[in-house]
Amino acid sequence: MKQYLKIDEWSIIEEAFDPQTQEISESVFSLGNGYMGGRANFEEQYSGYSLQGSYMAGVYYPDKTRVGWWKNGYPEYFAKVLNSTNWIGINIDIDGTPLDLANCTVSEFRRELNMKEGTLSRSFTAATAEGKELQVDSIRMVSMARREIGAIRYTVTPLNFAGELAVTPYLDGDIKNKDSNYDEKFWNEVEKKSAPDGGHLTLKTKKLDFHVTSAYLFDILVNGEKLTGAAEAIEREKYVASKAAFPVKSGDQVVIYKYAASVTSRNHGLGQLVEAAQSALHSAREAGFAALLTEQAEAWRDKWKESDIIIEGDVSAQQAIRFNIFQLNQTYTGEDDRLNIGPKGFTGEKYGGSTYWDTEAYCVPFYLSTADSSIARNLLIYRYKHLEKAKENARRLGFKKGALYPMVTMNGEECHNEWEITFEEIHRNGAIAYAVYNYVSYTGDKAYLGQYGLEVLVEISRFWEERVHYVPHKDKYVMLGVTGPNEYENNVNNNWYTNRMAAWTMEYTLEALAYLQENESARYAELADKLELAESETAKWNEIIAKMYYAADEERSIFLQQDGFLDKELIQVRDVLPENLPLNQKWSWDRILRSCFIKQADVLQGLYFLGDRYDLETKKRNFDFYEPITVHESSLSPCIHAILACELGYKEKAYEMYLRTSRLDLDNYNNDTEDGCHITSMAGTWMSIVHGFGGLRVQADRLILNPSNPGHWTAYSFKIMFRGSRLKVNVTDVQVTVVNETDVPASITIHGKEYTVNGLSSVTAEGAPVTV
């Protein structure tokens, strides 16, 4: 872990150029708008270590699956979001020598991600090998107001020479993904055109026929005067550029404005792509860079109005939570129910940019509380639209009925090629069912059950029914050969979390059926007929619920992660030599699988999800046993532990886990930020404050708050949207104040006492909350 970024409330700041951290910074300083985004690569060429990355949401490729031995049921491909046309490029040459920071002496380097206004700026002084010095200042954005637009202002000032400066803005589609098999490239050129002031480039994927058109225009001003000399139009395969060369002298200020538009065939007809790109592009150029900056600041102001968290007395914690919220808002806006949330968002390529169970388990709560309910609803509709594919996936694995949602997907098909995940990590079904419950409970939108949710719940319950089997001598239903959330064990029997979520899903499905039968009888009859529901089927679910087997240790009064867990040698993480950590980078997989060490919350994940079913003593016994043997080598782990630690009153552990999840990427805790930021765990970071320190729960249609103030903060506040109200919760050592920023009244419970917060008013709960 190397801390090299300056602590600041609203910005991420790097104050020196270090090639060793360049790829980490490319991840951390990434920009996006839910539609497109990219890593914080330099505009000018850079020959050092770098992962050039620009990405278009929903544009993916079915790459060939590579496995040593093929097994029936394996997916034919591993889908990945494609590295797309590099639109940011502006090459600079000084008397024929390229500006390349890998070959220059660099000083006064500063890079800043302004999270308040959504811009990335950079400044530096560079000296070439010939001793020619120049100052560069740049600022760029990916527009939140115009989703297809990106824009750059790039300023060059010669400091000690007179000579020729060549400026070459370009579009480069001759790119590949970092993890492409055999260095395969995935794009074919369709058309291109270069002109003295810009150009456009259309590419299509070699499979699936996604088309992407990128177009750019640029202006060059020298000392405030627009350069009028003709630029050279350049074309080569998958590449268009415009090169302008002109004399400069020391002190001249050269400003390049580059406007770019990127459009896809997901949103426009094939024959309309160039026209759509040009229309968006000319509109942005006509508005001008200053106006685009103003629009960007206003769009981000609205985002922060709904989702900001303020922490007083701890700037490191403040910076961290805003960074997490910023990246979440850059990654997903909820406007397109065909899109979901990739674990790396627009910051990198690991995990292929696909959808995992992370969305339902971690991201849905964030969007429920910080945006209109339609946003979270679209995340659920995404899964509903893939229900038939999930049923097909179950059939491929030999199941006669039910639906198994994929562990990794783009279009509903499974596209993960590791057997212990593809075949065994079936707990993902439970997270999807829980997301339906979570959405309905939080929003009160019970109509969703009849419209979409019930079909998903029934098919998941059918899968669980077939996946378990009855053991007569135990008079129990068991589930063999699974992998739980703890991926440091494979092919285990009776993983507690998986068994518990399977039974819970059946319980909730039966509740949903009863609700519809009583309240929407016509829709119930329609669905019962469509789904061919039988009384024998629901009777079987009730039997499985009553007789589900759960491994437990009576002496410790804990739930066992799975059968035989106590046969392992129990060693705590604190007793592992530091040079052996992280295990996944130091130990063989065989050694990890045989150890007791846990990658992430497993039993504790279930106790978080189903927290209303278990008392504090039960949670405490299990937390005290499992947390000391958890290495938190999954980014999804610390947040769940932080939430439970808050509930249990473990002050230091809660704060330790909060910092670990919130600064995971900023401080590169797991030595992997260069692959991209951990976007879905950032939603867990938000949960660690709002569900952890804030104690937010929803019970019986009522918002419950049990806030506590960690000793490291003087005060904090967060905002939550709940059934039409936007509430700002302010917490200090002595009181909790809830301000209703809308005219919709809200009924809430604070530390066990009921309140009504009328529109545009506030309530205060006196008395010091329990400090965790």
Side-chain angles (χ1 to χ4, degrees), residues 356-591:
Y356 285 65
W357 71 294
D358 307 20
T359 292
E360 285 73 28
Y362 295 86
C363 298
V364 164
F366 171 79
Y367 294 102
L368 277 175
S369 291
T370 64
D372 185 83
S373 61
S374 62
I375 305 303
R377 203 175 201 263
N378 275 348
L379 287 173
L380 271 62
I381 290 174
Y382 175 89
R383 292 294 193 178
Y384 174 79
K385 289 185 172 182
H386 290 171
L387 180 58
E388 291 304 313
K389 292 285 188 181
K391 290 161 69 174
E392 291 175 15
N393 187 47
R395 304 301 173 273
R396 287 194 186 100
L397 298 187
F399 293 88
K400 297 182 178 64
K401 59 183 180 179
L404 175 59
Y405 277 92
M407 186 65 181
V408 178
T409 193
M410 288 290 186
N411 66 353
E413 295 178 303
E414 178 65 75
C415 60
H416 198 286
N417 55 15
E418 295 179 32
W419 67 269
E420 68 273 15
I421 292 176
T422 304
F423 301 149
E424 294 192 341
E425 208 162 328
I426 55 177
H427 67 80
R428 68 245 194 185
N429 256 10
I432 292 167
Y434 186 81
V436 174
Y437 160 79
N438 202 10
Y439 170 80
V440 172
S441 174
Y442 194 94
T443 64
D445 180 13
K446 293 186 178 181
Y448 180 82
L449 291 171
Q451 293 168 334
Y452 303 104
L454 185 68
E455 293 179 65
V456 172
L457 293 171
V458 166
E459 296 297 350
I460 291 176
S461 292
R462 285 171 166 168
F463 171 82
W464 290 130
E465 176 191 344
E466 190 170 351
R467 186 60 173 79
V468 301
H469 72 272
Y470 179 69
V471 179
H473 70 271
K474 287 185 176 181
D475 191 27
K476 294 287 184 183
Y477 284 88
V478 301
M479 201 178 321
L480 309 181
V482 303
T483 297
N486 172 32
E487 294 172 332
Y488 284 0
E489 289 187 302
N490 304 148
N491 199 34
V492 302
N493 296 332
N494 294 308
N495 172 256
W496 183 88
Y497 172 79
T498 306
N499 286 18
R500 187 67 189 91
M501 291 304 295
W504 175 87
T505 300
M506 294 178 190
E507 289 179 46
Y508 183 55
T509 304
L510 292 170
E511 289 176 17
L513 285 167
Y515 171 82
L516 284 175
Q517 190 171 21
E518 181 177 349
N519 296 280
E520 299 180 33
S521 57
R523 180 58 175 161
Y524 172 83
E526 183 181 347
L527 286 171
D529 181 63
K530 177 182 179 180
L531 295 168
E532 299 181 350
L533 275 171
E535 287 187 16
S536 59
E537 191 170 26
T538 56
K540 183 64 176 290
W541 295 348
N542 274 312
E543 180 183 341
I544 294 171
I545 292 166
K547 294 187 176 183
M548 182 68 84
Y549 170 75
Y550 303 107
D553 177 48
E554 294 183 4
E555 181 180 343
R556 294 178 175 84
S557 295
I558 62 170
F559 305 123
L560 288 183
Q561 189 167 275
Q562 71 270 337
D563 285 345
F565 185 82
L566 292 181
D567 293 341
K568 293 173 175 286
E569 182 182 8
L570 299 180
I571 304 171
Q572 296 194 357
V573 178
R574 69 186 181 190
D575 296 322
V576 178
L577 295 175
E579 54 264 33
N580 285 326
L581 296 173
L583 299 183
N584 59 20
Q585 297 176 23
K586 302 297 178 65
W587 281 13
S588 70
W589 192 241
D590 169 72
R591 187 178 181 185

Side-chain angles (χ1 to χ4, degrees), residues 126-232:
T128 67
E130 295 79 20
K132 296 176 181 179
E133 294 185 356
L134 67 163
Q135 171 72 29
V136 173
D137 299 275
S138 69
I139 182 169
R140 78 171 180 251
M141 64 178 165
V142 176
S143 176
M144 292 293 283
R146 306 175 186 231
R147 66 177 187 174
E148 297 170 336
I149 292 296
I152 302 167
R153 184 180 67 212
Y154 192 93
T155 304
V156 179
T157 304
L159 297 179
N160 68 348
F161 69 93
E164 182 183 76
L165 188 73
V167 177
T168 309
Y170 64 86
L171 300 173
D172 185 6
D174 191 22
I175 35 78
K176 65 183 180 182
N177 278 55
K178 182 179 181 180
D179 64 348
S180 58
N181 292 329
Y182 315 106
D183 290 330
E184 180 183 6
K185 294 182 179 179
F186 303 126
W187 296 97
N188 286 326
E189 181 183 299
V190 177
E191 66 167 301
K192 62 177 179 281
K193 182 179 180 180
S194 182
D197 65 342
H200 70 262
L201 174 67
T202 300
L203 306 175
K204 70 173 182 178
T205 55
K206 293 181 178 178
K207 297 179 183 177
L208 302 185
D209 205 35
F210 286 111
H211 284 59
V212 174
T213 294
S214 296
Y216 78 99
L217 292 167
F218 73 97
D219 296 305
I220 299 176
L221 281 72
V222 181
N223 298 325
E225 296 293 327
K226 186 174 181 180
L227 189 70
T228 57
E232 176 190 359

Side-chain angles (χ1 to χ4, degrees), residues 738-749:
V738 179
V739 180
N740 190 343
E741 298 182 341
T742 65
D743 58 5
V744 180
S747 297
I748 64 174
T749 299

